[in-house]
Amino acid sequence: MKQKHILTYFINSVLLLLFCVAVNAQNDSIPKTVTDSIKIKQKYGIRIGGDISKLARSFAEDNYSGFEIEADYRLKKNIYAAAEIGFDNKNTITDYLDITSKGSYLKAGFDYNMYDNWLDMENMVYTGFRLGFSTFSQELNSFTVYNTNQYWLPQYTSSDLKEFNDLSAVWAEIILGMKIQIFNNLFATVNVQLKLLVTETEPDNFQNVYIPGFNKTYDSNSIGVGFGYTLSYRIPLYKKDH
């Protein structure tokens, strides 16, 4: 009887051992989640540049001169505070009008990067929003009053210079652009802008033909368009892990 109890105890111990081994083998076969500890440091800083397209127009066109300086600052991974400041001097000449518009403007807003970069790449495909403000003047160099009776009456033409100062305009604009890093901290940007005029002051008995920063007003239409090509350099201030 004693030997029977010993045999039973031995068999139970072997079965318990086999059960523990089987459980451990099952636990080892369950795939474990691997924690990715790789972190990429991305640069944060101020990026400052100039609009090359405005400089090119200033050299290529006799009736235009201007410049624009722009800057942005990275707030978060894909969000940038952005601003532009510039000056335009545009002489518009048509069959019935010769007018010079000149003044300065300021635009401020933000950009959002929609492009998911690989590793440490820092290119951008972005959309942005700006609120623009311009102060400017209009100089009416000459004008001709259109007369429907072309046969009997001559056209009335005046060459008396008239100046309209202290004009202003406010507009909103949506931007779509692409920013590419061509060298370390050096970027090239191209963008298009759709503008909506919010408010403006107009000369007496006259309309604004060109608003600096907003561009051509298209015969009292509140919609404006623009484009830009910019070279900018980033001054790195610090880095963050992503």
Side-chain angles (χ1 to χ4, degrees):
M1 179 66 70
K2 184 176 181 181
Q3 290 179 347
K4 183 177 180 180
H5 284 302
I6 293 175
L7 181 60
T8 302
Y9 176 79
F10 176 78
I11 292 173
N12 290 336
S13 299
V14 171
L15 291 175
L16 180 61
L17 180 61
L18 291 175
F19 175 78
C20 292
V21 171
V23 170
N24 289 333
Q26 276 190 332
N27 290 336
D28 291 339
S29 64
I30 298 175
K32 296 180 180 180
T33 302
V34 178
T35 303
D36 187 2
S37 61
I38 298 176
K39 294 182 179 180
I40 299 174
K41 290 186 176 294
Q42 294 188 345
K43 297 178 182 179
Y44 283 67
I46 299 174
R47 187 161 36 202
I48 302 175
D51 192 330
I52 305 301
S53 64
K54 286 184 175 290
L55 295 179
R57 286 186 62 192
S58 298
F59 285 103
E61 300 180 16
D62 294 333
N63 60 354
Y64 176 84
S65 63
F67 68 88
E68 179 179 287
I69 298 174
E70 60 181 56
D72 66 20
Y73 178 76
R74 193 174 194 177
L75 298 174
K76 293 185 177 181
K77 180 181 178 182
N78 293 320
I79 300 177
Y80 299 74
E84 295 86 24
I85 185 171
F87 176 84
D88 279 341
N89 187 331
K90 179 73 167 65
N91 183 213
T92 303
I93 302 175
T94 68
D95 293 337
Y96 300 97
L97 186 68
D98 184 340
I99 186 170
T100 301
S101 310
K102 57 183 177 181
S104 58
Y105 61 90
L106 172 67
K107 300 189 293 182
F110 65 89
D111 291 331
Y112 177 77
N113 183 22
M114 302 179 292
Y115 181 69
D116 189 12
N117 281 288
W118 290 9
L119 297 178
D120 58 346
M121 294 173 61
E122 297 181 85
N123 300 322
M124 293 175 60
V125 176
Y126 68 94
T127 182
F129 174 82
R130 300 286 189 277
L131 187 63
F133 175 76
S134 177
T135 59
F136 59 100
S137 64
Q138 305 269 17
E139 295 180 357
L140 184 57
N141 303 312
S142 65
F143 67 95
T144 299
V145 177
Y146 179 75
N147 193 335
T148 57
N149 190 345
Q150 298 287 324
Y151 184 77
W152 294 107
L153 295 176
Q155 302 288 344
Y156 174 75
T157 300
S158 174
S159 298
D160 295 334
L161 177 64
K162 295 182 179 181
E163 296 185 8
F164 306 95
N165 299 312
D166 300 325
L167 305 175
S168 64
V170 177
W171 68 92
E173 67 180 56
I174 297 174
I175 300 175
L176 181 63
M178 179 182 299
K179 195 182 298 287
I180 300 175
Q181 185 174 15
I182 52 180
F183 295 107
N184 186 30
N185 295 319
L186 183 64
F187 295 82
T189 304
V190 60
N191 64 56
V192 292
Q193 309 139 22
L194 179 63
K195 307 165 188 283
L196 176 63
L197 190 61
V198 177
T199 182
E200 64 175 321
T201 55
E202 294 182 336
D204 295 335
N205 301 319
F206 196 69
Q207 294 179 343
N208 293 316
V209 176
Y210 184 93
I211 299 175
F214 183 85
N215 301 334
K216 186 178 178 181
T217 57
Y218 294 98
D219 298 329
S220 301
N221 195 322
S222 60
I223 301 296
V225 294
F227 72 94
Y229 177 75
T230 304
L231 288 178
S232 58
Y233 181 80
R234 179 183 55 201
I235 304 172
L237 300 178
Y238 60 93
K239 294 182 179 180
K240 278 187 177 181
D241 292 333
H242 289 284

